[in-house]
């Protein structure tokens, strides 16, 4: 069976099991309650009712249900806080506490402890797979970029490539924002949310996390200067992608300026190590079917269906926007700019898309994205190793589009009217915020705080969308990766590469290329143990 088929099966298994056997499953017995970070707990004491606010207590035991009211009990840990409006409860570590909470998707949700333990006992499989792929990211980018730049030969080519790449990234990001803002204004998802849902979502949120993110955003000049790493080894060790890209580019340039006899040694070493990293990607991908199943089981199992429904209109506008962006911007570029059939193109990068979807991380997907465009679309290493790492770090059209929709949605709910000037500010700030977002899960939601602050919308509004963020992240990350690949095929065509779509059948038939069966056919020149040795 083809690897890709196995990965697809892993996806389906993860999603189905997540619904059936995850913590939010209706099939498993409920026994625990997830409390929102500011859940209100009522405690009946004689005739009086006391109101307590429980903070930091994420999980409680479900003792009894009475309609929408749940009787919950928990033991206080040192970091938990229970604030009482009426005196009477001694909140010390180890003390048992009991009270009633009103069930709602964000204030208090029941879950199945059995489903939770299934997630807890399988999540390491997803983590292991992700770690295997992430392990390759930095060395792969480093060696393959040095190799790519050194074989470019001509700096004017490099300058041209850099200029077109960055220009393309900026234009498509702005295009994404225009699409997102237009749809959010036309369809107005904020007007569909009821007063109760709004109060409940806002009440459950601790804004300090995102507010700090907004306050810490450095200026543009500082960001540009910071791309030059004072200590490249530290940059490599900390996986600071832009710094690694800059250093590798400079090393590649230096190699082309040197005496060719000397530089050839370094180029050969990079070439060999690059090949080794490629094989590590193949080894890691063997784990993909199980890893993807475990990752999706966790995400689907822990996202409440009720939260998805409460935010359905907003989520639908984001998804519609992403679809429009792919159709009206990427499709014409791939079709007419790079001369490739769009569905053939999507088929060729399918392994990267599946991975982007299940990991919500364009950085973690990068090694597979590089393999996909080089092996399945015949993009040259010099273009792929230059455009894709930069793309995975700075080009996030899906993220920008989502930030535009989210900003308008939150403003609509607060009743804030954003005029043309404010919307232009959103375009500029969300472009910067998407560039600043790292290619990791949830990064776009943190930098959204910058966008909200720029137009005076309360940062607390992020609470409104937090529930569906992880699910939308899967789709926007996939869009981000399609955008990176679109730029790559365009650049590749402009550089004169002869692009060709390797079909899934061809990939499977020839194990020397593509993602299928590479490890089953080691090189005939592979290092062999000498049989004559004892
Ligand atoms: N998860 C996204 C990515 O890796 C970034 C984001 O929008 O949060 O591309």
């Amino acid at each position: 069976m083809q690897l890709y088929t196995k990965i697809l099966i892993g996806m389906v298994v993860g999603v189905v099991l997540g619904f059936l056997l995850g913590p939010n499953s209706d099939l498993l017995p409920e026994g625990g309650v997830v409390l929102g970070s500011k859940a209100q707990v009522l405690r009946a004491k004689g005739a009086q009712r006391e109101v307590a606010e429980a903070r930091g207590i994420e999980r409680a035991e479900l003792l009894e249900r009475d309609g929408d009211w749940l009787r919950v009990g928990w033991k206080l840990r040192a970091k938990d806080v229970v604030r009482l409006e009426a005196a009477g409860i001694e909140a010390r570590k180890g003390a048992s506490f009991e009270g009633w909470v009103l069930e709602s998707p964000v204030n208090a949700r029941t879950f199945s402890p059995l489903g939770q333990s299934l997630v807890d006992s399988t999540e390491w499989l997803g983590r292991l797979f992700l770690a295997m792929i992430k392990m390759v990211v930095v060395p792969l980018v480093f060696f393959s970029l040095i190799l790519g730049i050194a074989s470019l030969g001509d700096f004017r080519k490099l300058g041209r490539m850099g200029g077109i790449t960055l220009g393309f990234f900026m234009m498509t990001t702005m295009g994404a924002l225009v699409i997102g803002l237009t749809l959010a204004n036309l369809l107005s998802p904020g007007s569909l949310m009821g007063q109760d849902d709004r109060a409940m979502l806002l009440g459950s949120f601790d804004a300090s996390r995102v507010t700090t993110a907004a306050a810490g955003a450095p200026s543009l000049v500082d960001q540009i200067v910071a791309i030059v790493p004072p200590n490249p080894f530290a940059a490599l060790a900390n996986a600071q992608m832009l710094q690694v890209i800059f250093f590798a580019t400079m090393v590649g340039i230096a190699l082309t300026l040197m005496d060719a006899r000397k530089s050839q040694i370094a180029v050969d070493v990079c070439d060999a190590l690059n090949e080794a990293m490629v094989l590590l990607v193949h080894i890691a991908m063997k784990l993909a079917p199980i890893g993807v199943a475990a990752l999706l089981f966790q995400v689907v199992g822990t996202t409440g269906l009720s939260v998805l429904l409460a935010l359905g209109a907003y989520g639908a506008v984001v998804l519609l926007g992403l679809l429009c962006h792919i159709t009206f911007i990427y499709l014409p570029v791939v079709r007419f700019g790079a001369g490739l059939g769009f569905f053939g193109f999507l088929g060729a990068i399918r392994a990267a898309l599946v991975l982007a979807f299940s990991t919500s991380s364009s950085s973690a997907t990068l090694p597979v994205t590089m393999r996909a465009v080089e092996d399945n679309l015949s993009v040259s290493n010099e273009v792929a190793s230059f455009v894709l790492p930069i793309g995975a770090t700075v080009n996030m059209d899906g993220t920008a589009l989502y930030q535009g929709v989210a900003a308008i949605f939150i403003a609509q709910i607060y009743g804030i009217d954003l005029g043309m000037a404010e919307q232009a500010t959103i375009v500029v700030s969300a472009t910067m915020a998407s560039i600043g977002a790292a290619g990791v899960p949830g990064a776009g939601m943190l930098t959204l705080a910058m966008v909200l602050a720029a137009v005076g919308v309360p940062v607390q509004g992020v609470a409104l969308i937090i529930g569906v963020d992880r699910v939308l992240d899967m789709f926007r990350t996939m869009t981000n990766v399609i955008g990176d690949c679109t730029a790559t095929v365009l650049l590749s065509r402009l550089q004169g590469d002869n692009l060709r779509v390797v079909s899934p059948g061809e990939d499977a038939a020839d194990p020397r290329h593509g993602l299928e069966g590479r490890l089953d056919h080691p090189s005939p020149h592979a290092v062999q143990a000498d049989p004559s040795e004892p």
Side-chain angles (χ1 to χ4, degrees):
M1 195 193 289
Q2 287 187 22
L3 175 66
Y4 178 67
T5 317
K6 288 191 208 157
I7 299 178
L8 270 189
I9 294 175
M11 273 179 91
V12 174
V13 168
V15 171
V16 172
L17 289 185
F19 278 120
L20 296 183
L21 299 178
N24 287 306
S25 157
D26 288 334
L27 295 181
L28 300 178
E30 55 181 23
V33 176
V34 183
L35 293 176
S37 60
K38 283 188 191 160
Q40 298 266 302
V41 186
L42 287 180
R43 203 178 90 119
K45 191 185 173 202
Q48 277 179 329
R49 291 186 120 190
E50 297 169 356
V51 181
E53 193 179 81
R55 255 187 269 154
I57 299 159
E58 286 142 19
R59 298 249 152 87
E61 198 186 335
L62 177 64
L63 303 172
E64 186 187 339
R65 173 188 272 283
D66 180 7
D68 284 345
W69 285 92
L70 310 170
R71 188 160 70 88
V72 295
W74 67 87
K75 265 206 162 66
L76 286 189
R77 296 164 305 172
K79 62 181 169 79
D80 299 335
V81 183
V82 174
R83 196 167 58 75
L84 288 178
E85 282 178 5
I89 289 177
E90 217 182 308
R92 46 185 167 74
K93 188 183 160 209
S96 296
F97 189 82
E98 252 184 57
W100 287 89
V101 280
L102 188 58
E103 184 176 22
S104 72
V106 178
N107 187 52
R109 269 186 291 131
T110 57
F111 71 95
S112 152
L114 176 62
Q116 187 61 46
S117 58
L118 287 175
V119 164
D120 291 345
S121 54
T122 50
E123 62 83 44
W124 67 273
L125 287 166
R127 261 193 301 137
L128 178 72
F129 165 62
L130 260 185
M132 285 287 286
I133 295 259
K134 283 188 183 167
M135 172 177 87
V136 194
V137 174
V138 173
L140 178 73
V141 169
F142 185 63
F143 295 123
S144 111
L145 191 51
I146 292 181
L147 201 63
I149 302 288
S151 45
L152 256 180
D154 177 1
F155 299 140
R156 268 170 312 183
K157 255 187 179 177
L158 179 65
R160 193 174 88 115
M161 213 157 83
I164 297 177
T165 305
L166 292 180
F168 181 81
F169 286 164
M170 285 300 251
M171 268 163 46
T172 54
T173 304
M174 294 205 171
L177 275 157
V178 170
I179 293 177
L181 292 181
T182 310
L183 287 178
N185 282 306
L186 281 181
L187 303 175
S188 185
S191 57
L192 295 175
M193 182 176 268
Q195 197 63 27
D196 293 349
D197 278 343
R198 189 196 129 174
M200 168 196 85
L201 290 167
L202 285 175
S204 68
F205 181 64
D206 177 7
S208 57
R209 203 163 69 107
V210 281
T211 328
T212 336
S219 77
L220 183 62
V221 177
D222 287 348
Q223 287 190 39
I224 291 174
V225 173
I227 291 177
V228 185
N231 177 354
F233 294 101
L236 286 163
N238 296 320
Q240 295 168 304
M241 279 328 249
L242 288 182
Q243 285 83 341
V244 170
I245 292 168
F246 183 81
F247 181 60
T249 307
M250 296 310 285
V251 173
I253 291 176
L255 286 175
T256 56
L257 297 175
M258 281 164 55
D259 175 354
R261 279 168 309 173
K262 272 192 193 158
S263 65
Q264 195 55 45
I265 302 170
V267 170
D268 287 345
V269 169
C270 286
D271 190 14
L273 287 171
N274 181 44
E275 183 72 29
M277 295 307 131
V278 169
L279 281 180
L280 286 187
V281 177
H282 286 267
I283 292 173
M285 285 303 279
K286 290 263 178 203
L287 291 179
I290 293 179
V292 162
L295 287 168
L296 288 176
F297 178 50
Q298 193 186 3
V299 174
V300 174
T302 43
T303 304
L305 202 58
S306 44
V307 180
L308 291 186
L309 294 179
L311 290 164
Y314 156 73
V317 173
V318 173
L319 293 184
L320 180 66
L322 295 176
L323 191 66
C324 289
H325 187 66
I326 293 170
T327 314
F328 298 121
I329 298 200
Y330 297 152
L331 190 150
V333 175
V334 170
R335 183 77 204 86
F336 304 110
L340 293 172
F342 193 64
F343 291 105
F345 161 80
L346 290 182
I349 58 168
R350 65 198 184 285
L353 299 184
V354 168
L355 216 58
F357 186 76
S358 38
T359 61
S360 289
S361 167
S362 30
S363 292
T365 308
L366 179 59
V368 176
T369 318
M370 287 171 76
R371 289 330 316 141
V373 296
E374 285 185 39
D375 287 343
N376 290 348
L377 291 169
S378 307
V379 170
S380 63
N381 167 259
E382 42 194 82
V383 174
S385 66
F386 182 76
V387 181
L388 286 176
I390 299 182
T393 321
V394 304
N395 181 43
M396 300 199 182
D397 297 352
T399 303
L401 189 145
Y402 134 85
Q403 290 180 332
V405 176
I408 300 285
F409 173 71
I410 295 171
Q412 283 168 351
I413 290 202
Y414 276 104
I416 300 171
D417 206 10
L418 297 176
M420 275 322 256
E422 281 98 353
Q423 305 224 10
T425 310
I426 293 183
V427 172
V428 176
S429 58
T431 302
M432 299 317 294
S434 71
I435 291 174
V440 297
M445 198 186 65
L446 291 181
T447 56
L448 172 63
M450 268 169 64
V451 181
L452 297 180
V455 285
V457 172
V459 170
Q460 281 82 342
V462 173
L464 296 162
I465 55 163
I466 217 163
V468 274
D469 195 70
R470 188 63 173 78
V471 174
L472 292 182
D473 199 357
M474 299 158 89
F475 291 95
R476 62 183 195 247
T477 307
M478 213 162 69
T479 310
N480 292 344
V481 170
I482 301 179
D484 298 339
C485 293
T486 302
T488 310
V489 289
L490 178 68
L491 248 287
S492 185
R493 175 50 52 98
L494 294 177
Q495 290 290 105
D497 289 347
N498 217 346
L499 296 180
R500 197 178 79 82
V501 175
V502 174
S503 71
E506 282 175 276
D507 183 353
D510 185 353
R512 286 164 307 166
H513 302 289
L515 285 161
E516 298 289 345
R518 183 82 174 266
L519 297 174
D520 307 335
H521 294 260
S523 152
H525 308 297
V527 184
Q528 305 272 330
D530 185 347
S532 63
E533 272 185 17

